[in-house]
Amino acid sequence: MKLSTKLLTYFPTPYFLDMSHVGLDITPSSVKYIELTKESGHLKINKFGSQKLANQISFDDSLVNNKDLQDALTQIQKTQKISFVEVSIPEVKSYLYTTDVPAGDDSGMRANIEMHLEENVPLTLAEAIFEYFPIRADKKTGMVTVAVSVVPYQIVRDYTILLEKSGMTPISFLIENQALSRAVINYDDSSAYLLVQISDKRTILSIVSDHALQFTSSVSIGSADFTDGLMREYCISKEEAEKMKTDPLYENVDLDNNKVFAGMINGLSAIKDETQRVIVYWQSFQDKLKSSGETSGAMIKKIILSGHDSLLPGLREYFSTSLNVEVEVANVWQNVLDLKDTVPDIKFNDSLDFATVIGLALPKHRY
Amino acid sequence: MLYLLTEEQKKKVLQEYRMRLIIVALISLSFVGVVAVVSIIPSKVLVSTHEKILKLQEKNVGGNSSVGADELSKKLADISNTASFLSPLGKTFSNLDIFSHLEKKAGDMTTIRQFQINHFDENVSVQLSGVSKNRDSLIKFINTLKQDPAFTGASFPYNSLARQDNLDFTLNLLVNVEKLKI
């Protein structure tokens, strides 16, 4: 244990000064929140929940005047007495790229990124807010490879206004798959992982290597499409289809895993194809780096599935057989608590939907 | 880390943090102050009491010396009395008892003017001086002392017998404590 960590265990920062924050994940259908607090040097869940939105929201529209979202946020603030929040920015509204900049201090590297920003994203410098994360440094050339996250200024401003109207102060924004990677990858692990997050309407694919999100892609197929597939295949109601996906003992349908899987194969196959493309892209990119002698080349070590539909019968096997890569379902608690010692208050299948918000709620000093 | 915030928002969060830092610093200083005051109070009370006592003593000694001397004498008398009680002899006989014993032996014709008791090792000696009306009364007093088992070492002060009347004498006697008890 580092000396600073030991000191912080016995002499923690005063709660008032710590400005402890709550993770807040705004999705099209709900707002999830979770607060992690430190107790005897270990993290524990202090509060968590999910507020359903009266109507689904679209991130293509301006959210600043969205009454349903405003009501949901106000409701959460009133019931949970939340002051500071770290909020997710939807992947579809953000841009990500890697670039090489001359090594130097923060302002020098920022100035260099600003100079080339418009070459990499469809935004002017005035319209954009960006942050960068150093990945690796090349001592020979004096260059540093950085991952740059860019978000339109308007989006951040709208979110800030919306949250302040609800009585909450945003202290940070994170792109949703950046937050996801914090939760599902051990913070000591710098290997390359492909994260597959299956949400309602979309599936987001992200490659995380050297602790940085380096590539992201999404498919407009999500768990709602799997439900529709089952409804069509077996002529059942939406509720029955949902139960069929999650409850292996569901009695009204002749439950054969292969049959359940067959009902969703079209959607799953599209996701599998996109995953295949991402892996091929990454491998070829790494081969190129390796041949130029820049890096040893980080191959995808594992595919990590998150979202409650990652527990669909046969899904893991389908992905691992077709892609020839090890596949596992995410353990969203690995950077929070030890499951051998503690049973979290959130059920395992529900916790898979909380992965992003857990990543947002993790203490800042770790990153 | 203030990530992806607008400049205004960053300033706002930093301002909030600084405000909290000032509040925490002020609360910490107040706490230290309260602890210091609470710790100092007993010492302060003790010192001020000592100061008052010293001032009073100074006033007594410097302002009114006769009153101070009287008080001092009184105190000394008390202390002597206490000390005599604490001495091995004093447990059974006081100096006054020895004096009363000798006074009785002296009779009406002999007066004891000075009386001093000395303790050495485990013995007690008495040095007394006085005046006797005539030779007969002095010889009678000395003979009485010689016969008294409580006293030894009584010898005739021949120099004193040179005069006819009002004979001054000085005697040194050893007190036999055991016999005195009887």
Side-chain angles (χ1 to χ4, degrees):
Chain A
M1 192 188 272
K2 277 184 192 173
L3 183 67
S4 57
T5 318
K6 224 175 195 176
L7 273 173
L8 277 173
T9 307
Y10 294 107
F11 304 102
T13 314
Y15 182 78
F16 183 66
L17 202 57
D18 195 31
M19 291 173 72
S20 158
H21 70 275
V22 173
L24 200 70
D25 182 23
I26 300 170
T27 69
S29 58
S30 66
V31 180
K32 295 186 184 70
Y33 61 90
I34 190 164
E35 185 182 34
L36 304 171
T37 49
K38 256 195 170 176
E39 204 175 87
S40 315
H42 299 284
L43 287 172
K44 74 172 197 97
I45 304 165
N46 190 35
K47 55 180 87 152
F48 72 94
S50 177
Q51 180 83 29
K52 282 245 172 226
L53 296 173
N55 295 298
Q56 287 232 340
I57 57 169
S58 164
F59 292 119
D60 292 331
D61 305 330
S62 171
L63 295 178
V64 75
N65 293 319
N66 191 303
K67 199 178 173 306
D68 293 334
L69 184 56
Q70 180 74 70
D71 290 347
L73 290 170
T74 309
Q75 178 74 12
I76 291 171
Q77 199 282 329
K78 275 188 182 166
T79 53
Q80 303 301 324
K81 309 272 179 259
I82 295 169
S83 302
F84 301 105
V85 282
E86 185 160 324
V87 188
S88 64
I89 298 273
E91 185 266 347
V92 287
K93 290 289 170 193
S94 62
Y95 304 93
L96 189 82
Y97 66 93
T98 54
T99 185
D100 291 340
V101 292
D105 60 1
D106 178 63
S107 57
M109 287 166 81
R110 270 187 179 277
N112 197 284
I113 293 167
E114 280 173 6
M115 212 183 297
H116 300 283
L117 190 84
E118 291 173 25
E119 296 164 20
N120 293 287
V121 295
L123 295 169
T124 63
L125 187 58
E127 292 169 338
I129 290 180
F130 74 91
E131 293 292 345
Y132 70 94
F133 183 85
I135 301 170
R136 59 183 165 268
D138 190 337
K139 283 180 185 172
K140 280 184 202 166
T141 57
M143 300 295 272
V144 179
T145 306
V146 293
V148 185
S149 318
V150 189
V151 179
Y153 177 87
Q154 191 62 37
I155 296 281
V156 174
R157 198 178 139 273
D158 284 0
Y159 268 65
T160 306
I161 293 170
L162 193 67
L163 291 160
E164 297 217 311
K165 268 193 208 168
S166 315
M168 295 183 268
T169 306
I171 56 164
S172 215
F173 288 100
L174 268 188
I175 298 169
E176 61 182 316
N177 30 3
Q178 276 179 329
L180 175 75
S181 71
R182 281 185 179 187
V184 301
I185 298 172
N186 190 298
Y187 54 79
D188 289 330
D189 194 346
S190 59
S191 312
Y193 291 96
L194 173 56
L195 312 182
V196 179
Q197 187 191 16
I198 306 165
S199 47
D200 261 9
K201 300 273 184 189
R202 302 182 73 81
T203 297
I204 301 167
L205 309 170
S206 329
I207 292 179
V208 179
S209 178
D210 294 312
H211 304 287
L213 179 64
Q214 298 199 29
F215 181 81
T216 180
S217 167
S218 64
V219 194
S220 301
I221 295 168
S223 63
D225 298 290
F226 302 151
T227 311
D228 288 347
L230 287 174
M231 285 163 66
R232 276 198 305 273
E233 185 79 16
Y234 298 104
C235 300
I236 52 175
S237 69
K238 191 179 176 184
E239 288 72 30
E240 283 175 317
E242 285 290 348
K243 277 191 179 177
M244 196 176 174
K245 282 200 297 183
T246 53
D247 187 357
L249 300 176
Y250 184 63
E251 55 192 17
N252 293 342
V253 174
D254 173 23
L255 191 79
D256 178 326
N257 284 351
N258 290 332
K259 278 187 179 176
V260 174
F261 193 75
M264 303 180 296
I265 190 67
N266 290 339
L268 288 173
S269 150
I271 295 172
K272 189 262 297 174
D273 291 345
E274 183 61 21
T275 310
Q276 177 88 63
R277 268 195 292 275
V278 169
I279 292 173
V280 168
Y281 158 77
W282 180 256
Q283 309 290 48
S284 58
F285 177 63
Q286 292 302 306
D287 287 343
K288 200 175 145 195
L289 286 177
K290 199 174 176 181
S291 61
S292 63
E294 280 189 43
T295 175
S296 57
M299 294 299 151
I300 300 289
K301 188 179 174 187
K302 222 180 259 182
I303 293 173
I304 298 175
L305 305 174
S306 64
H308 69 271
D309 273 5
S310 55
L311 291 172
L312 285 172
L315 176 66
R316 208 150 48 98
E317 293 76 10
Y318 173 63
F319 269 64
S320 64
T321 313
S322 335
L323 303 169
N324 205 21
V325 180
E326 191 184 339
V327 180
E328 70 172 29
V329 175
N331 169 14
V332 301
W333 302 114
Q334 63 179 303
N335 292 327
V336 179
L337 42 87
D338 190 346
L339 290 174
K340 285 177 193 162
D341 302 329
T342 318
V343 179
D345 298 331
I346 306 172
K347 282 185 201 166
F348 178 64
N349 12 353
D350 293 337
S351 74
L352 293 166
D353 285 332
F354 274 81
T356 304
V357 75
I358 290 167
L360 292 163
L362 279 168
K364 287 185 171 296
H365 67 263
R366 290 195 179 176
Y367 296 92
Chain B
M1 193 192 291
L2 307 171
Y3 216 76
L4 293 172
L5 290 180
T6 59
E7 281 306 313
E8 306 90 74
Q9 190 63 15
K10 273 185 189 174
K11 277 180 193 163
K12 197 178 164 189
V13 174
L14 283 173
Q15 199 177 355
E16 172 76 26
Y17 178 76
R18 283 189 196 116
M19 182 78 93
R20 283 171 178 245
L21 195 65
I22 290 166
I23 291 170
V24 168
L26 286 176
I27 289 172
S28 307
L29 282 175
S30 312
F31 178 73
V32 169
V34 167
V35 168
V37 166
V38 167
S39 314
I40 283 168
I41 282 173
S43 308
K44 172 76 182 163
V45 168
L46 202 67
V47 167
S48 76
T49 311
H50 275 290
E51 193 186 23
K52 276 179 189 169
I53 290 168
L54 284 173
K55 275 183 180 170
L56 200 68
Q57 281 180 346
E58 190 185 30
K59 201 176 167 186
N60 286 340
V61 173
N64 191 343
S65 59
S66 63
V67 173
D70 286 347
E71 273 182 12
L72 202 63
S73 305
K74 211 174 178 182
K75 268 186 189 173
L76 278 170
D78 286 346
I79 289 164
S80 303
N81 206 14
T82 312
S84 70
F85 279 123
L86 291 171
S87 70
L89 187 63
K91 282 175 188 171
T92 49
F93 284 93
S94 70
N95 297 347
L96 194 64
D97 292 334
I98 297 170
F99 180 76
S100 304
H101 194 83
L102 286 166
E103 184 75 18
K104 276 178 197 169
K105 299 284 177 192
D108 296 332
M109 305 297 276
T110 304
T111 305
I112 297 169
R113 283 181 178 162
Q114 281 192 331
F115 173 82
Q116 189 179 342
I117 290 178
N118 298 313
H119 294 264
F120 59 96
D121 298 332
E122 287 182 15
N123 300 312
V124 179
S125 73
V126 176
Q127 189 182 48
L128 57 96
S129 56
V131 181
S132 213
K133 184 77 178 168
N134 50 44
R135 284 178 185 164
D136 288 341
S137 58
L138 179 61
I139 291 165
K140 190 184 170 189
F141 176 46
I142 291 167
N143 282 333
T144 311
L145 289 175
K146 278 187 174 178
Q147 285 164 11
D148 193 336
F151 301 103
T152 51
S155 58
F156 278 104
Y158 293 106
N159 293 340
S160 304
L161 292 170
R163 291 176 68 175
Q164 291 262 330
D165 303 312
N166 296 325
L167 291 83
D168 291 318
F169 67 88
T170 301
L171 290 172
N172 285 307
L173 304 168
L174 275 174
V175 182
N176 193 339
V177 178
E178 294 302 318
K179 298 291 178 184
L180 201 66
K181 280 178 189 172
I182 296 160

